[in-house]
Amino acid sequence: MPVYIRKHPLEIPPPSEKDWIKKDEEENFFLQDPDQIFDSLPQPFRMINKLVKLVFEQAWEIIEKKEALREAQTLKVQPTLYLPTAEFQVMGRANCLAASGQHVFVGLSTGLAVFNTPNCKRVCAWESAKLEICAIHASNLGNETHLLVTVDEMGLARLFYFYKDSLLLIRVLNEVEEISKRNTCVKAELSQGGDYAGVLLQGSTEAWLEIYRLPKDSWLKETDHAQAAAAVSSFRERRFSQASTKSLELPGEGSAETESPMPAHRVETKMSLPVLLLKVRSPKPLTGSTFKSPLEALMKIDDGSVIGLGQNHVIKDYQWEQQDAIFRSTFQKHLERESEPDSKEEKPSHAVFHFLLPGQILQMGPEIKAQPDVPTGISVHWNGSHNLCLYLLTRPSKEKMDAELKPDTVWPCAAPITCSAVTSCSSYMALACEDGTITVWDRCLGFPLAVTALPEGCLSRTIHFLQTSRSPRDQLPRPKVQLLVLCTDGSLHLVTISGPRESRTVLLADRSEDPDQTISAVAPIPALPGAVLVFSWDGTVCLTDIATPQPVCHFITPPSHTVASPWQPVFTVDTTNQRLLLRGDEQQRRAGPPTQTKDNQSSIFLFNFDSYQSMEVFPAVPEPPPDSLQHLPWDERCDIFLRDRLQRLPRFSQQVPKCWSQLRKHATALRRESRKK
């Protein structure tokens, strides 16, 4: 039964309200629904009601999405869970790990410790209560000898030498007498084989890279001589102690008090110091020319055989301003105000560098004999820079260190370089730019293999090379290069490149809507081709097969522990023993505060890949050929290049008419556009 209600509001609302009844309709208004007996709320309560409803609806949508994700997770096939095969405790907080040979080096909040992986026993340590190691890099020199470089929280880079269960400090690379003049070490790395060390330093106004040559052969002789001298000294002191003990014994006094023998004297080993080889400074920002004439600029240019950094130009400041004004007025519609660069360009302060083995990019003279396993150059790119600079490590002795070092080769890119990667054999190099493009260079042949682009909106954060197949000796290398790309949005991509026009990008993991499932780090396993470790923010460590791509298994810690700092996990992959080392922290119990001893300890869990049955799905690593192409003599390499060129000639001849037809179509289109204008 309809209800007739006469509305007599106390306050007359403004006429702009649409849901209020007009005065002429007020007499004949009947409510069809009894629930509408209440008047609509006036402002501002109506707006508050809408906001509350909007918040409730959005919260309900989030709840429904999470429930759907949980149901999808329950319907999925749960991967196998594997517990660690071994565990060892370390005193202090483990900040970094490095595996080399049969040893594990742990950077602690109280120094540096060395453990033996077969039995997980502590070998030695270099402890300091006021020293916290933040980064560590190790290189295996053979014969149970390892070289270490560490960076502590104060920015000091230390070089250690581990030899026969003893740890020796060689030098603090950036140590100075006055603390006010000390430069902070941002990054330190060793070359494969321990021939060179690179230290990135940052001062108050600029940053630079220092490359040291390490006399590892001299260190081996010096440590052998020092240990022999220490053994002789220890034997003499032991004999002297025994003789003095016998002389002090009196007849008839069997209970005479005698002093205990002194411990062996530790001979201080004086190691040869590393030699500073290169000092690469960060590039200066491009400014207006200060040259008075073009001739003065030409005097600063070398022979002009390589592309430079563009510093010696003749463009004035006002010319740049005019060109910038013309460009902005022409493309004003396409320019965004938010993306406009700042007027003051800052000097770069961070760099990424790689040691490069012999290749065709950096040409050396015939008088220099390069060894296959010793680096001959480095590649450096600074943050915000478009250029990749390559430097030779064989510098003339007369060259001054303080002089501005010019790169031997410059690779300009269309956009600033964000990250890069090099294969272990230095055959391929990948460069990722801010525009989403990835360029893969073939260093054996000396030209880019392919240029590919990520999906729109994806920006590379890290790049890793996966295991590639090799070609026989009598053929040119035609491997299938695979790149694992982790983007800034948390998505994971697999880029496969087989040639200049043969590239494919596969999405392995999309950006997760759940923040706890965001990927924090990835690490390929060289011993298992196609296997990738994926670390997530919720502490999940998943082993993924890129061929499917599906998770194979999960590596979990014991119930009493959890993965330490899952947003930045502390781990390392031991390629020699095929195992994963992961730091875990004990979960704090709710009842009672944690004890002090537990806070000062960290657990390192070992996951041996050979102990798990799920690893059988991955193929075995193919054995490399006896001789690679880049190590062959020049005459044999030329024969292989010519033979390959003849085999590809019929295919090139078929492509020539197609290229000519495309050029004709393009020329015809340009003529039509010119006539229209």
PDB file of all heavy atoms in Angstrom, residues 98-101 103 105 136-142 144-149 159-162 189-197 214 216 373 375:
ATOM      1  N   ALA A  98      80.618 -15.474   0.029  1.00  0.00           N
ATOM      2  CA  ALA A  98      81.369 -15.728  -1.200  1.00  0.00           C
ATOM      3  C   ALA A  98      81.928 -17.129  -1.128  1.00  0.00           C
ATOM      4  O   ALA A  98      82.534 -17.514  -0.109  1.00  0.00           O
ATOM      5  CB  ALA A  98      82.484 -14.703  -1.398  1.00  0.00           C
ATOM      6  N   ALA A  99      81.730 -17.911  -2.183  1.00  0.00           N
ATOM      7  CA  ALA A  99      82.222 -19.281  -2.262  1.00  0.00           C
ATOM      8  C   ALA A  99      83.327 -19.364  -3.301  1.00  0.00           C
ATOM      9  O   ALA A  99      83.184 -18.840  -4.414  1.00  0.00           O
ATOM     10  CB  ALA A  99      81.089 -20.248  -2.616  1.00  0.00           C
ATOM     11  N   SER A 100      84.425 -20.003  -2.937  1.00  0.00           N
ATOM     12  CA  SER A 100      85.557 -20.169  -3.839  1.00  0.00           C
ATOM     13  C   SER A 100      86.239 -21.483  -3.512  1.00  0.00           C
ATOM     14  O   SER A 100      86.747 -21.668  -2.396  1.00  0.00           O
ATOM     15  CB  SER A 100      86.541 -19.001  -3.700  1.00  0.00           C
ATOM     16  OG  SER A 100      87.645 -19.155  -4.563  1.00  0.00           O
ATOM     17  N   GLY A 101      86.239 -22.399  -4.482  1.00  0.00           N
ATOM     18  CA  GLY A 101      86.842 -23.701  -4.246  1.00  0.00           C
ATOM     19  C   GLY A 101      86.080 -24.472  -3.188  1.00  0.00           C
ATOM     20  O   GLY A 101      84.857 -24.612  -3.238  1.00  0.00           O
ATOM     21  N   HIS A 103      86.010 -23.574   0.008  1.00  0.00           N
ATOM     22  CA  HIS A 103      85.893 -22.688   1.158  1.00  0.00           C
ATOM     23  C   HIS A 103      84.752 -21.699   0.948  1.00  0.00           C
ATOM     24  O   HIS A 103      84.413 -21.363  -0.192  1.00  0.00           O
ATOM     25  CB  HIS A 103      87.198 -21.927   1.416  1.00  0.00           C
ATOM     26  CG  HIS A 103      88.342 -22.817   1.818  1.00  0.00           C
ATOM     27  ND1 HIS A 103      89.142 -23.466   0.886  1.00  0.00           N
ATOM     28  CD2 HIS A 103      88.817 -23.168   3.042  1.00  0.00           C
ATOM     29  CE1 HIS A 103      90.063 -24.176   1.521  1.00  0.00           C
ATOM     30  NE2 HIS A 103      89.887 -24.007   2.820  1.00  0.00           N
ATOM     31  N   PHE A 105      83.591 -17.882   2.431  1.00  0.00           N
ATOM     32  CA  PHE A 105      84.035 -16.683   3.135  1.00  0.00           C
ATOM     33  C   PHE A 105      82.797 -15.874   3.520  1.00  0.00           C
ATOM     34  O   PHE A 105      81.973 -15.544   2.658  1.00  0.00           O
ATOM     35  CB  PHE A 105      84.975 -15.864   2.253  1.00  0.00           C
ATOM     36  CG  PHE A 105      86.164 -16.649   1.754  1.00  0.00           C
ATOM     37  CD1 PHE A 105      86.119 -17.288   0.521  1.00  0.00           C
ATOM     38  CD2 PHE A 105      87.302 -16.765   2.526  1.00  0.00           C
ATOM     39  CE1 PHE A 105      87.196 -18.009   0.052  1.00  0.00           C
ATOM     40  CE2 PHE A 105      88.390 -17.490   2.073  1.00  0.00           C
ATOM     41  CZ  PHE A 105      88.345 -18.116   0.833  1.00  0.00           C
ATOM     42  N   ILE A 136      81.868  -8.639  -0.174  1.00  0.00           N
ATOM     43  CA  ILE A 136      83.046  -9.482  -0.306  1.00  0.00           C
ATOM     44  C   ILE A 136      83.062 -10.103  -1.689  1.00  0.00           C
ATOM     45  O   ILE A 136      82.011 -10.425  -2.255  1.00  0.00           O
ATOM     46  CB  ILE A 136      83.064 -10.562   0.801  1.00  0.00           C
ATOM     47  CG1 ILE A 136      84.361 -11.372   0.740  1.00  0.00           C
ATOM     48  CG2 ILE A 136      81.861 -11.482   0.686  1.00  0.00           C
ATOM     49  CD1 ILE A 136      84.505 -12.317   1.916  1.00  0.00           C
ATOM     50  N   HIS A 137      84.252 -10.239  -2.258  1.00  0.00           N
ATOM     51  CA  HIS A 137      84.433 -10.869  -3.565  1.00  0.00           C
ATOM     52  C   HIS A 137      85.671 -11.746  -3.487  1.00  0.00           C
ATOM     53  O   HIS A 137      86.705 -11.313  -2.955  1.00  0.00           O
ATOM     54  CB  HIS A 137      84.596  -9.815  -4.656  1.00  0.00           C
ATOM     55  CG  HIS A 137      84.426 -10.341  -6.036  1.00  0.00           C
ATOM     56  ND1 HIS A 137      85.440 -10.912  -6.759  1.00  0.00           N
ATOM     57  CD2 HIS A 137      83.329 -10.409  -6.837  1.00  0.00           C
ATOM     58  CE1 HIS A 137      84.999 -11.292  -7.936  1.00  0.00           C
ATOM     59  NE2 HIS A 137      83.719 -11.006  -8.010  1.00  0.00           N
ATOM     60  N   ALA A 138      85.577 -12.973  -3.985  1.00  0.00           N
ATOM     61  CA  ALA A 138      86.660 -13.950  -3.882  1.00  0.00           C
ATOM     62  C   ALA A 138      87.042 -14.457  -5.260  1.00  0.00           C
ATOM     63  O   ALA A 138      86.214 -14.524  -6.167  1.00  0.00           O
ATOM     64  CB  ALA A 138      86.247 -15.122  -2.988  1.00  0.00           C
ATOM     65  N   SER A 139      88.322 -14.825  -5.389  1.00  0.00           N
ATOM     66  CA  SER A 139      88.845 -15.390  -6.630  1.00  0.00           C
ATOM     67  C   SER A 139      89.770 -16.544  -6.278  1.00  0.00           C
ATOM     68  O   SER A 139      90.636 -16.419  -5.394  1.00  0.00           O
ATOM     69  CB  SER A 139      89.607 -14.326  -7.430  1.00  0.00           C
ATOM     70  OG  SER A 139      90.122 -14.869  -8.624  1.00  0.00           O
ATOM     71  N   ASN A 140      89.590 -17.662  -6.956  1.00  0.00           N
ATOM     72  CA  ASN A 140      90.360 -18.877  -6.695  1.00  0.00           C
ATOM     73  C   ASN A 140      91.646 -18.841  -7.506  1.00  0.00           C
ATOM     74  O   ASN A 140      91.618 -18.755  -8.734  1.00  0.00           O
ATOM     75  CB  ASN A 140      89.532 -20.114  -7.045  1.00  0.00           C
ATOM     76  CG  ASN A 140      90.182 -21.402  -6.584  1.00  0.00           C
ATOM     77  OD1 ASN A 140      91.248 -21.391  -5.970  1.00  0.00           O
ATOM     78  ND2 ASN A 140      89.532 -22.511  -6.858  1.00  0.00           N
ATOM     79  N   LEU A 141      92.798 -18.917  -6.813  1.00  0.00           N
ATOM     80  CA  LEU A 141      94.104 -18.925  -7.472  1.00  0.00           C
ATOM     81  C   LEU A 141      94.669 -20.320  -7.638  1.00  0.00           C
ATOM     82  O   LEU A 141      95.746 -20.472  -8.230  1.00  0.00           O
ATOM     83  CB  LEU A 141      95.098 -18.066  -6.674  1.00  0.00           C
ATOM     84  CG  LEU A 141      94.683 -16.621  -6.397  1.00  0.00           C
ATOM     85  CD1 LEU A 141      95.792 -15.891  -5.647  1.00  0.00           C
ATOM     86  CD2 LEU A 141      94.339 -15.892  -7.680  1.00  0.00           C
ATOM     87  N   GLY A 142      93.995 -21.348  -7.145  1.00  0.00           N
ATOM     88  CA  GLY A 142      94.487 -22.712  -7.230  1.00  0.00           C
ATOM     89  C   GLY A 142      95.351 -23.083  -6.045  1.00  0.00           C
ATOM     90  O   GLY A 142      95.890 -22.227  -5.320  1.00  0.00           O
ATOM     91  N   GLU A 144      94.514 -24.377  -3.172  1.00  0.00           N
ATOM     92  CA  GLU A 144      93.911 -23.915  -1.921  1.00  0.00           C
ATOM     93  C   GLU A 144      94.340 -22.499  -1.569  1.00  0.00           C
ATOM     94  O   GLU A 144      94.528 -22.155  -0.393  1.00  0.00           O
ATOM     95  CB  GLU A 144      94.241 -24.871  -0.771  1.00  0.00           C
ATOM     96  CG  GLU A 144      93.693 -26.278  -0.972  1.00  0.00           C
ATOM     97  CD  GLU A 144      93.971 -27.169   0.222  1.00  0.00           C
ATOM     98  OE1 GLU A 144      94.631 -26.678   1.164  1.00  0.00           O
ATOM     99  OE2 GLU A 144      93.534 -28.326   0.209  1.00  0.00           O
ATOM    100  N   THR A 145      94.511 -21.683  -2.571  1.00  0.00           N
ATOM    101  CA  THR A 145      94.889 -20.287  -2.392  1.00  0.00           C
ATOM    102  C   THR A 145      93.785 -19.413  -2.974  1.00  0.00           C
ATOM    103  O   THR A 145      93.339 -19.646  -4.106  1.00  0.00           O
ATOM    104  CB  THR A 145      96.225 -19.984  -3.078  1.00  0.00           C
ATOM    105  OG1 THR A 145      97.209 -20.896  -2.600  1.00  0.00           O
ATOM    106  CG2 THR A 145      96.675 -18.570  -2.783  1.00  0.00           C
ATOM    107  N   HIS A 146      93.364 -18.417  -2.215  1.00  0.00           N
ATOM    108  CA  HIS A 146      92.274 -17.556  -2.638  1.00  0.00           C
ATOM    109  C   HIS A 146      92.632 -16.107  -2.359  1.00  0.00           C
ATOM    110  O   HIS A 146      93.382 -15.799  -1.416  1.00  0.00           O
ATOM    111  CB  HIS A 146      90.968 -17.916  -1.913  1.00  0.00           C
ATOM    112  CG  HIS A 146      90.590 -19.365  -2.033  1.00  0.00           C
ATOM    113  ND1 HIS A 146      89.881 -19.866  -3.095  1.00  0.00           N
ATOM    114  CD2 HIS A 146      90.852 -20.426  -1.219  1.00  0.00           C
ATOM    115  CE1 HIS A 146      89.699 -21.161  -2.936  1.00  0.00           C
ATOM    116  NE2 HIS A 146      90.280 -21.528  -1.797  1.00  0.00           N
ATOM    117  N   LEU A 147      92.076 -15.249  -3.170  1.00  0.00           N
ATOM    118  CA  LEU A 147      92.270 -13.812  -3.034  1.00  0.00           C
ATOM    119  C   LEU A 147      90.924 -13.173  -2.714  1.00  0.00           C
ATOM    120  O   LEU A 147      89.913 -13.489  -3.366  1.00  0.00           O
ATOM    121  CB  LEU A 147      92.850 -13.227  -4.321  1.00  0.00           C
ATOM    122  CG  LEU A 147      93.442 -11.820  -4.240  1.00  0.00           C
ATOM    123  CD1 LEU A 147      94.614 -11.785  -3.277  1.00  0.00           C
ATOM    124  CD2 LEU A 147      93.873 -11.360  -5.619  1.00  0.00           C
ATOM    125  N   LEU A 148      90.903 -12.281  -1.730  1.00  0.00           N
ATOM    126  CA  LEU A 148      89.666 -11.670  -1.271  1.00  0.00           C
ATOM    127  C   LEU A 148      89.799 -10.157  -1.294  1.00  0.00           C
ATOM    128  O   LEU A 148      90.877  -9.615  -1.023  1.00  0.00           O
ATOM    129  CB  LEU A 148      89.329 -12.106   0.164  1.00  0.00           C
ATOM    130  CG  LEU A 148      89.293 -13.604   0.468  1.00  0.00           C
ATOM    131  CD1 LEU A 148      89.076 -13.821   1.948  1.00  0.00           C
ATOM    132  CD2 LEU A 148      88.201 -14.274  -0.322  1.00  0.00           C
ATOM    133  N   VAL A 149      88.705  -9.491  -1.600  1.00  0.00           N
ATOM    134  CA  VAL A 149      88.600  -8.046  -1.465  1.00  0.00           C
ATOM    135  C   VAL A 149      87.271  -7.754  -0.773  1.00  0.00           C
ATOM    136  O   VAL A 149      86.232  -8.308  -1.142  1.00  0.00           O
ATOM    137  CB  VAL A 149      88.710  -7.328  -2.826  1.00  0.00           C
ATOM    138  CG1 VAL A 149      87.583  -7.742  -3.766  1.00  0.00           C
ATOM    139  CG2 VAL A 149      88.723  -5.821  -2.650  1.00  0.00           C
ATOM    140  N   LEU A 159      92.354  -5.886   0.971  1.00  0.00           N
ATOM    141  CA  LEU A 159      92.782  -6.997   0.116  1.00  0.00           C
ATOM    142  C   LEU A 159      93.394  -8.070   1.001  1.00  0.00           C
ATOM    143  O   LEU A 159      94.377  -7.814   1.719  1.00  0.00           O
ATOM    144  CB  LEU A 159      93.782  -6.506  -0.924  1.00  0.00           C
ATOM    145  CG  LEU A 159      94.121  -7.452  -2.071  1.00  0.00           C
ATOM    146  CD1 LEU A 159      92.879  -7.739  -2.919  1.00  0.00           C
ATOM    147  CD2 LEU A 159      95.215  -6.850  -2.943  1.00  0.00           C
ATOM    148  N   PHE A 160      92.815  -9.283   0.974  1.00  0.00           N
ATOM    149  CA  PHE A 160      93.263 -10.407   1.796  1.00  0.00           C
ATOM    150  C   PHE A 160      93.826 -11.506   0.894  1.00  0.00           C
ATOM    151  O   PHE A 160      93.438 -11.647  -0.270  1.00  0.00           O
ATOM    152  CB  PHE A 160      92.110 -10.981   2.632  1.00  0.00           C
ATOM    153  CG  PHE A 160      91.635 -10.073   3.727  1.00  0.00           C
ATOM    154  CD1 PHE A 160      90.584  -9.188   3.504  1.00  0.00           C
ATOM    155  CD2 PHE A 160      92.221 -10.096   4.977  1.00  0.00           C
ATOM    156  CE1 PHE A 160      90.130  -8.352   4.503  1.00  0.00           C
ATOM    157  CE2 PHE A 160      91.768  -9.261   5.986  1.00  0.00           C
ATOM    158  CZ  PHE A 160      90.725  -8.387   5.750  1.00  0.00           C
ATOM    159  N   TYR A 161      94.717 -12.308   1.522  1.00  0.00           N
ATOM    160  CA  TYR A 161      95.324 -13.454   0.845  1.00  0.00           C
ATOM    161  C   TYR A 161      95.155 -14.661   1.750  1.00  0.00           C
ATOM    162  O   TYR A 161      95.690 -14.697   2.865  1.00  0.00           O
ATOM    163  CB  TYR A 161      96.800 -13.177   0.566  1.00  0.00           C
ATOM    164  CG  TYR A 161      97.476 -14.187  -0.330  1.00  0.00           C
ATOM    165  CD1 TYR A 161      97.329 -14.127  -1.712  1.00  0.00           C
ATOM    166  CD2 TYR A 161      98.274 -15.191   0.198  1.00  0.00           C
ATOM    167  CE1 TYR A 161      97.954 -15.039  -2.540  1.00  0.00           C
ATOM    168  CE2 TYR A 161      98.904 -16.107  -0.621  1.00  0.00           C
ATOM    169  CZ  TYR A 161      98.741 -16.031  -1.990  1.00  0.00           C
ATOM    170  OH  TYR A 161      99.362 -16.945  -2.815  1.00  0.00           O
ATOM    171  N   PHE A 162      94.394 -15.656   1.286  1.00  0.00           N
ATOM    172  CA  PHE A 162      94.146 -16.880   2.051  1.00  0.00           C
ATOM    173  C   PHE A 162      95.019 -17.993   1.487  1.00  0.00           C
ATOM    174  O   PHE A 162      94.939 -18.328   0.301  1.00  0.00           O
ATOM    175  CB  PHE A 162      92.671 -17.274   1.972  1.00  0.00           C
ATOM    176  CG  PHE A 162      92.351 -18.542   2.699  1.00  0.00           C
ATOM    177  CD1 PHE A 162      92.227 -18.546   4.079  1.00  0.00           C
ATOM    178  CD2 PHE A 162      92.182 -19.733   2.018  1.00  0.00           C
ATOM    179  CE1 PHE A 162      91.938 -19.713   4.756  1.00  0.00           C
ATOM    180  CE2 PHE A 162      91.893 -20.903   2.678  1.00  0.00           C
ATOM    181  CZ  PHE A 162      91.770 -20.893   4.060  1.00  0.00           C
ATOM    182  N   GLU A 189      85.869  -5.234  -6.902  1.00  0.00           N
ATOM    183  CA  GLU A 189      85.747  -6.529  -7.580  1.00  0.00           C
ATOM    184  C   GLU A 189      87.124  -7.035  -7.978  1.00  0.00           C
ATOM    185  O   GLU A 189      88.078  -6.260  -8.118  1.00  0.00           O
ATOM    186  CB  GLU A 189      84.858  -6.423  -8.824  1.00  0.00           C
ATOM    187  CG  GLU A 189      83.386  -6.267  -8.524  1.00  0.00           C
ATOM    188  CD  GLU A 189      82.531  -6.369  -9.778  1.00  0.00           C
ATOM    189  OE1 GLU A 189      83.117  -6.635 -10.852  1.00  0.00           O
ATOM    190  OE2 GLU A 189      81.315  -6.156  -9.682  1.00  0.00           O
ATOM    191  N   LEU A 190      87.187  -8.360  -8.186  1.00  0.00           N
ATOM    192  CA  LEU A 190      88.395  -9.028  -8.659  1.00  0.00           C
ATOM    193  C   LEU A 190      88.125  -9.646 -10.012  1.00  0.00           C
ATOM    194  O   LEU A 190      87.001 -10.074 -10.309  1.00  0.00           O
ATOM    195  CB  LEU A 190      88.842 -10.117  -7.675  1.00  0.00           C
ATOM    196  CG  LEU A 190      89.290  -9.669  -6.283  1.00  0.00           C
ATOM    197  CD1 LEU A 190      89.494 -10.879  -5.393  1.00  0.00           C
ATOM    198  CD2 LEU A 190      90.564  -8.856  -6.360  1.00  0.00           C
ATOM    199  N   SER A 191      89.150  -9.701 -10.825  1.00  0.00           N
ATOM    200  CA  SER A 191      89.012 -10.367 -12.118  1.00  0.00           C
ATOM    201  C   SER A 191      89.058 -11.875 -11.936  1.00  0.00           C
ATOM    202  O   SER A 191      89.542 -12.390 -10.915  1.00  0.00           O
ATOM    203  CB  SER A 191      90.126  -9.920 -13.066  1.00  0.00           C
ATOM    204  OG  SER A 191      91.387 -10.353 -12.580  1.00  0.00           O
ATOM    205  N   GLN A 192      88.559 -12.583 -12.917  1.00  0.00           N
ATOM    206  CA  GLN A 192      88.574 -14.043 -12.868  1.00  0.00           C
ATOM    207  C   GLN A 192      90.014 -14.526 -12.987  1.00  0.00           C
ATOM    208  O   GLN A 192      90.685 -14.321 -13.980  1.00  0.00           O
ATOM    209  CB  GLN A 192      87.732 -14.603 -14.016  1.00  0.00           C
ATOM    210  CG  GLN A 192      87.546 -16.107 -13.964  1.00  0.00           C
ATOM    211  CD  GLN A 192      86.662 -16.602 -15.094  1.00  0.00           C
ATOM    212  OE1 GLN A 192      86.207 -15.813 -15.923  1.00  0.00           O
ATOM    213  NE2 GLN A 192      86.416 -17.889 -15.133  1.00  0.00           N
ATOM    214  N   GLY A 193      90.488 -15.178 -11.938  1.00  0.00           N
ATOM    215  CA  GLY A 193      91.885 -15.584 -11.887  1.00  0.00           C
ATOM    216  C   GLY A 193      92.724 -14.737 -10.972  1.00  0.00           C
ATOM    217  O   GLY A 193      93.860 -15.099 -10.647  1.00  0.00           O
ATOM    218  N   GLY A 194      92.196 -13.584 -10.512  1.00  0.00           N
ATOM    219  CA  GLY A 194      92.893 -12.764  -9.542  1.00  0.00           C
ATOM    220  C   GLY A 194      94.075 -11.998 -10.081  1.00  0.00           C
ATOM    221  O   GLY A 194      95.012 -11.699  -9.327  1.00  0.00           O
ATOM    222  N   ASP A 195      94.073 -11.629 -11.365  1.00  0.00           N
ATOM    223  CA  ASP A 195      95.184 -10.853 -11.922  1.00  0.00           C
ATOM    224  C   ASP A 195      95.008  -9.356 -11.695  1.00  0.00           C
ATOM    225  O   ASP A 195      96.001  -8.625 -11.626  1.00  0.00           O
ATOM    226  CB  ASP A 195      95.316 -11.125 -13.425  1.00  0.00           C
ATOM    227  CG  ASP A 195      95.680 -12.566 -13.706  1.00  0.00           C
ATOM    228  OD1 ASP A 195      96.859 -12.905 -13.563  1.00  0.00           O
ATOM    229  OD2 ASP A 195      94.773 -13.356 -14.043  1.00  0.00           O
ATOM    230  N   TYR A 196      93.761  -8.894 -11.596  1.00  0.00           N
ATOM    231  CA  TYR A 196      93.499  -7.466 -11.443  1.00  0.00           C
ATOM    232  C   TYR A 196      92.401  -7.274 -10.401  1.00  0.00           C
ATOM    233  O   TYR A 196      91.594  -8.185 -10.134  1.00  0.00           O
ATOM    234  CB  TYR A 196      93.062  -6.831 -12.775  1.00  0.00           C
ATOM    235  CG  TYR A 196      94.100  -6.916 -13.864  1.00  0.00           C
ATOM    236  CD1 TYR A 196      94.074  -7.963 -14.791  1.00  0.00           C
ATOM    237  CD2 TYR A 196      95.104  -5.965 -13.970  1.00  0.00           C
ATOM    238  CE1 TYR A 196      95.028  -8.049 -15.792  1.00  0.00           C
ATOM    239  CE2 TYR A 196      96.059  -6.043 -14.968  1.00  0.00           C
ATOM    240  CZ  TYR A 196      96.019  -7.084 -15.877  1.00  0.00           C
ATOM    241  OH  TYR A 196      96.963  -7.165 -16.858  1.00  0.00           O
ATOM    242  N   ALA A 197      92.385  -6.068  -9.827  1.00  0.00           N
ATOM    243  CA  ALA A 197      91.355  -5.660  -8.877  1.00  0.00           C
ATOM    244  C   ALA A 197      90.874  -4.269  -9.255  1.00  0.00           C
ATOM    245  O   ALA A 197      91.680  -3.409  -9.625  1.00  0.00           O
ATOM    246  CB  ALA A 197      91.885  -5.666  -7.448  1.00  0.00           C
ATOM    247  N   LEU A 214      97.780  -7.194  -9.650  1.00  0.00           N
ATOM    248  CA  LEU A 214      98.084  -7.956  -8.443  1.00  0.00           C
ATOM    249  C   LEU A 214      99.218  -8.939  -8.717  1.00  0.00           C
ATOM    250  O   LEU A 214      99.095  -9.793  -9.602  1.00  0.00           O
ATOM    251  CB  LEU A 214      96.842  -8.711  -7.967  1.00  0.00           C
ATOM    252  CG  LEU A 214      95.575  -7.849  -7.776  1.00  0.00           C
ATOM    253  CD1 LEU A 214      94.423  -8.719  -7.324  1.00  0.00           C
ATOM    254  CD2 LEU A 214      95.829  -6.729  -6.787  1.00  0.00           C
ATOM    255  N   LYS A 216     100.294 -11.908  -7.963  1.00  0.00           N
ATOM    256  CA  LYS A 216      99.910 -13.141  -7.273  1.00  0.00           C
ATOM    257  C   LYS A 216     101.026 -14.182  -7.288  1.00  0.00           C
ATOM    258  O   LYS A 216     101.144 -14.978  -6.342  1.00  0.00           O
ATOM    259  CB  LYS A 216      98.638 -13.712  -7.893  1.00  0.00           C
ATOM    260  CG  LYS A 216      98.754 -14.068  -9.361  1.00  0.00           C
ATOM    261  CD  LYS A 216      97.454 -14.651  -9.880  1.00  0.00           C
ATOM    262  CE  LYS A 216      97.605 -15.130 -11.325  1.00  0.00           C
ATOM    263  NZ  LYS A 216      96.350 -15.729 -11.831  1.00  0.00           N
ATOM    264  N   ASP A 373      93.387 -16.641 -20.586  1.00  0.00           N
ATOM    265  CA  ASP A 373      92.650 -16.544 -19.327  1.00  0.00           C
ATOM    266  C   ASP A 373      92.961 -15.281 -18.542  1.00  0.00           C
ATOM    267  O   ASP A 373      92.496 -15.140 -17.406  1.00  0.00           O
ATOM    268  CB  ASP A 373      92.960 -17.769 -18.456  1.00  0.00           C
ATOM    269  CG  ASP A 373      92.553 -19.062 -19.125  1.00  0.00           C
ATOM    270  OD1 ASP A 373      91.607 -19.019 -19.942  1.00  0.00           O
ATOM    271  OD2 ASP A 373      93.170 -20.103 -18.855  1.00  0.00           O
ATOM    272  N   PRO A 375      92.668 -11.123 -18.321  1.00  0.00           N
ATOM    273  CA  PRO A 375      91.963  -9.989 -18.933  1.00  0.00           C
ATOM    274  C   PRO A 375      92.925  -9.032 -19.618  1.00  0.00           C
ATOM    275  O   PRO A 375      94.052  -8.806 -19.164  1.00  0.00           O
ATOM    276  CB  PRO A 375      91.260  -9.322 -17.746  1.00  0.00           C
ATOM    277  CG  PRO A 375      91.187 -10.369 -16.696  1.00  0.00           C
ATOM    278  CD  PRO A 375      92.396 -11.222 -16.874  1.00  0.00           C
TER     279      PRO A 375
END
